[in-house]
Amino acid sequence: MPFIVKKRINGNDYYYLRQSIREEGKVVSKYLAYLGKNRGEAEKKAKEIMNNIETNQKIVAGNVPKTEEPTEATKISVDDMAMFCKRKGFVYASGEIYGGLAGFWDFGPLGAELKNNLKREWWKYHVYSREDVVGIDGSIITHPMVWKASGHVDSFSDVFVVCKECKKPSKIDRAEIGKVKCINCQGEYDFANAKDFMLMFKTTVGLDTLAYLRPETAQLIFADFKSVSENSRAKLPFGIAQIGKAFRNEIAPRDFIFRNREFEQMEIEYFVKPGEDCPYEIPNEEILVFSAEAQEKAEEPVKMKFKEALEKGIIKKKWHAYWLSNEFLFFKNLGANTDNFRIRQHAKTELAHYSSDCWDLEYNFPFGWKELEGIADRSNYDLKQHEKFSKKDLTVFDEETKERFLPEVICEPSLGVERAFLVFMFDAYHDDKKRNNIVLKLHPKLSPVKAAIFPIIKKPEFEEIATKVLSILNQEWNVLYDKSGSIGRRYARNDEAGTPYCITIDGDSLKNNDVTIRDRDTTQQIRVKVSDVKDVLRKLINREIEFEKAGRKL
Ligand code: ATP
């Protein structure tokens, strides 16, 4: 048991923490830590250190109470999620010190990391791991004719109505005029004063040239199509991917970061030769399918395999079944709860004239089932429009058949970064009653901080190993060094931030040059040599190894 000793040196009191241990048959007193000059503070500090040692001894003895196996995420409202995100530094209202600006958000230290990880994983999955997709990065402001050709200048508008009762403004579809009630209070809308509301933000380039902030990333892909297909020597079928900002002057931004005025999209335009069949296997996955027919007949969605939905003719094209399942798998592979997903087919009235079939991947948000990602069939409509307005030939040449033709976009998977961000946050949020703190069970690939490194006590020999581990790991990942507070507090802080692994340097580390790694979700611990930590962490993040087998189990 450690004890406090006071030493008087040159008339001043100095407090130390020491411990009696048996060494080669003799009891000796060993120095553990310097506690300062003040008795009260020394006692406080000693208590903290002893707590840490005690926790660690329990851990080493393997008798720390285990928390339950990963559970269903705790359901919370979108407002509670917004509060949690602000408290932990994920997301803040933009310009908050001036009261914020509706529909605009800033991502804090943890949010910026999560968002970057999410985009990186999307890019790896959709671009790097495929031979048939290349990426671009288009400009936010482009030639205004792009938006004339795409139809946005003439028709990218919503109908603006105000509720007669609660006075809140809303956007509705044209077809809903006279038919719908206020989504806020179920009151009557003032349809007599309904107005068309242009969703594109206008700006001026130079002195007075009217231009627009892009309302989607897709059109840049069409406008660059010819150059990209030539430069990348891509053969159909192939896709062009892009991640970037989009801007829409939404009438009623709401539900935290679900509907914003500034957001990011991750989109692919997937081009095929007209009539070309899908050569890819459809993954053997199942999902709730909400067909247009079921919606018309007010029936419930049905769970079935993507393949089955195709065989039954619900999903009309193999390409669509393939891309829908592919998109679903993106979320599943990153640990999202598949029970919260469904695909919804657009009714005939929702379809654009050029589109044969269109689906949304929907997620069961706390405010209802909502579109997470659109997966549309756009035919050759956009390329045709750009050919017409630019008067440039955008056709491709088929070497085999020696014919020129305009490719079709068989699928346009279009996903909002912020909506995907919310999905992963909702599915990760666990209010762990035993630990008495939130555990954010994000997939390690998405976690903002991959590991937190703790010296168990603030002593140079402990810190030396800790900073060594830090400098090995921070070459590759965002890791943090945390030496303040009890071990319990440090674990709790990192559980809430979604940090999957905590690495502790303790007394044994000094002798054996090894560390303890603790798993966020199970609180299990393993012992790993300092020289192996980087390799082990990489395998754990990539889920290439089971935690218990990654080191010596404690
Ligand atoms: P909604 O019907 O919800 O307005 P939309 O059908 O207009 O969406 P698309 O134009 O298909 O959306 O955009 C593709 C994706 O971009 C959407 O599935 C969504 O993830 C994202 N997105 C669209 N508008 C917004 C927005 N205002 N804020 C955040 N994300 C958005």
Side-chain angles (χ1 to χ4, degrees):
M1 182 76 179
F3 53 92
I4 300 174
V5 287
K6 183 173 81 175
K7 273 196 175 174
R8 204 164 170 81
I9 305 167
N10 296 335
N12 294 319
D13 290 340
Y14 295 89
Y15 293 88
Y16 299 89
L17 191 66
R18 298 188 74 90
Q19 184 174 20
S20 298
I21 51 166
R22 190 171 283 277
E23 243 177 33
E24 293 162 0
K26 286 188 200 149
V27 176
V28 289
S29 164
K30 284 249 165 176
Y31 162 84
L32 278 183
Y34 169 60
L35 301 173
K37 295 181 188 169
N38 174 291
R39 173 102 220 170
E41 272 174 25
E43 278 172 358
K44 225 166 97 191
K45 216 166 168 185
K47 213 166 155 190
E48 199 176 275
I49 293 170
M50 285 188 304
N51 272 344
N52 287 352
I53 291 170
E54 203 181 311
T55 312
N56 203 45
Q57 279 166 350
K58 275 193 204 161
I59 287 163
V60 173
N63 55 6
V64 152
K66 272 213 187 113
T67 46
E68 63 267 80
E69 286 293 294
T71 50
E72 279 257 303
T74 312
K75 300 250 180 272
I76 55 165
S77 71
V78 71
D79 292 337
D80 287 342
M81 177 55 80
M83 259 151 47
F84 175 75
C85 284
K86 178 174 154 52
R87 177 167 69 81
K88 293 302 293 181
F90 280 94
V91 186
Y92 321 115
S94 190
E96 197 172 31
I97 56 169
Y98 297 102
L101 186 60
F104 297 92
W105 299 91
D106 293 341
F107 289 78
L110 293 183
E113 291 295 332
L114 172 52
K115 207 175 173 208
N116 283 339
N117 294 342
L118 176 51
K119 291 191 279 183
R120 192 178 311 112
E121 289 306 316
W122 187 91
W123 198 262
K124 277 198 217 158
Y125 181 81
H126 291 89
V127 183
Y128 293 170
S129 73
R130 304 183 62 108
E131 286 298 295
D132 58 346
V133 178
V134 293
I136 66 160
D137 183 13
S139 64
I140 284 170
I141 297 171
T142 183
H143 198 294
M145 283 303 281
V146 167
W147 306 111
K148 185 74 187 157
S150 67
H152 284 84
V153 171
D154 296 323
S155 59
F156 193 54
S157 57
D158 274 339
V159 176
F160 175 90
V161 281
V162 175
C163 173
K164 287 185 193 167
E165 262 100 304
C166 71
K167 311 285 177 215
K168 287 218 163 132
S170 284
K171 77 152 194 175
I172 56 166
D173 288 340
R174 216 159 304 279
E176 291 174 330
I177 296 179
K179 295 184 191 149
V180 286
K181 300 259 188 220
C182 171
I183 52 155
N184 186 45
C185 74
Q186 289 299 302
E188 293 291 326
Y189 283 128
D190 180 5
F191 291 116
N193 289 308
K195 285 196 264 279
D196 263 4
F197 189 88
M198 154 78 115
L199 290 176
M200 277 199 295
F201 281 101
K202 290 179 185 162
T203 187
T204 354
V205 174
L207 214 51
D208 56 3
T209 305
L210 172 68
Y212 305 94
L213 302 193
R214 67 182 181 194
E216 60 173 36
T217 59
Q219 290 307 318
L220 282 295
I221 295 178
F222 296 119
D224 288 339
F225 168 76
K226 190 81 175 179
S227 303
V228 176
S229 63
E230 284 170 7
N231 296 149
S232 55
R233 304 179 65 239
K235 294 261 174 300
L236 292 170
F238 77 91
I240 304 178
Q242 183 173 204
I243 299 180
K245 291 266 185 184
F247 303 82
R248 296 182 188 177
N249 198 5
E250 295 279 357
I251 293 169
R254 62 175 173 276
D255 296 323
F256 185 31
I257 53 171
F258 177 83
R259 185 172 299 287
N260 313 325
R261 290 179 165 137
E262 175 177 338
F263 55 99
E264 273 187 272
Q265 289 184 313
M266 307 187 274
E267 294 195 302
I268 294 177
E269 299 302 330
Y270 197 81
F271 299 93
V272 297
K273 187 175 179 181
E276 186 171 17
D277 208 6
C278 171
Y280 302 119
E281 268 288 299
I282 298 166
N284 194 27
E285 296 292 330
E286 66 172 16
I287 193 168
L288 274 178
V289 176
F290 203 14
S291 67
E293 193 184 340
Q295 292 165 63
E296 218 170 281
K297 293 183 179 163
E299 288 168 1
E300 289 296 306
V302 182
K303 202 160 210 177
M304 65 176 89
K305 297 246 159 84
F306 287 90
K307 270 184 199 158
E308 193 187 336
L310 177 69
E311 281 155 14
K312 287 187 168 155
I314 302 170
I315 300 177
K316 298 200 184 97
K317 293 182 180 166
K318 189 177 172 199
W319 277 117
H320 294 162
Y322 167 72
W323 273 106
L324 280 163
S325 50
N326 200 52
E327 293 311 286
F328 169 70
L329 268 181
F330 170 71
F331 285 96
K332 184 178 171 183
N333 292 347
L334 286 173
N337 178 356
T338 53
D339 290 341
N340 287 332
F341 288 77
R342 73 179 187 190
I343 50 171
R344 187 187 74 82
Q345 189 169 32
H346 282 206
K348 277 207 182 71
T349 49
E350 289 177 84
L351 285 180
H353 65 272
Y354 48 78
S355 185
S356 65
D357 202 7
C358 187
W359 290 81
D360 288 342
L361 181 64
E362 293 192 334
Y363 178 83
N364 193 8
F365 287 97
F367 41 93
W369 286 96
K370 298 279 173 204
E371 174 179 336
L372 168 62
E373 173 168 7
I375 292 142
D377 170 357
R378 299 194 62 89
S379 73
N380 64 9
Y381 175 78
D382 304 88
L383 287 182
K384 223 185 214 148
Q385 286 294 102
H386 288 297
E387 268 204 330
K388 191 167 134 198
F389 280 76
S390 68
K391 304 199 172 38
K392 300 273 168 24
D393 173 16
L394 300 181
T395 57
V396 296
F397 184 66
D398 187 332
E399 295 286 352
E400 271 171 34
T401 60
K402 307 286 177 217
E403 52 176 347
R404 295 205 78 85
F405 61 89
L406 209 52
E408 284 183 353
V409 166
I410 193 72
C411 245
E412 180 202 55
S414 174
L415 171 64
V417 175
E418 289 79 359
R419 289 189 191 179
F421 184 109
L422 270 186
V423 163
F424 288 116
M425 288 296 282
F426 278 121
D427 280 351
Y429 188 97
H430 286 70
D431 187 355
D432 189 318
K433 299 288 179 217
K434 278 194 196 147
R435 280 189 235 181
N436 204 17
N437 60 265
I438 305 305
V439 183
L440 200 61
K441 297 186 179 176
L442 289 168
H443 190 292
K445 286 183 180 174
L446 296 178
S447 291
V449 179
K450 303 296 185 227
I453 301 150
F454 315 149
I456 201 156
I457 39 181
K458 282 189 228 168
K459 275 182 67 181
E461 55 272 46
F462 290 79
E463 293 205 43
E464 195 184 310
I465 301 181
T467 46
K468 184 175 163 198
V469 173
L470 178 78
S471 65
I472 294 173
L473 301 183
N474 68 10
Q475 300 303 308
E476 197 156 328
W477 300 287
N478 184 36
V479 290
L480 67 79
Y481 186 68
D482 190 350
K483 60 177 180 180
S484 61
S486 69
I487 281 283
R489 272 313 304 148
R490 287 186 253 176
Y491 283 153
R493 261 203 300 272
N494 282 286
D495 284 349
E496 290 202 336
T499 306
Y501 305 108
C502 288
I503 299 175
T504 309
I505 286 81
D506 58 16
D508 286 347
S509 306
L510 308 184
K511 282 185 260 157
N512 306 327
N513 210 21
D514 61 3
V515 297
T516 299
I517 305 183
R518 170 204 185 249
D519 179 63
R520 174 198 63 204
D521 298 348
T522 61
T523 71
Q524 281 181 355
Q525 317 253 342
I526 51 170
R527 203 79 193 171
V528 172
K529 287 273 173 216
V530 169
S531 53
D532 295 337
V533 168
K534 190 173 183 180
D535 204 35
V536 166
L537 192 63
R538 187 182 302 110
K539 286 185 183 145
L540 288 173
I541 291 170
N542 293 330
R543 297 280 200 239
E544 286 165 13
I545 194 169
E546 273 176 53
F547 184 76
E548 289 180 23
K549 295 188 182 143
R552 183 168 57 82
K553 205 176 152 201
L554 297 179

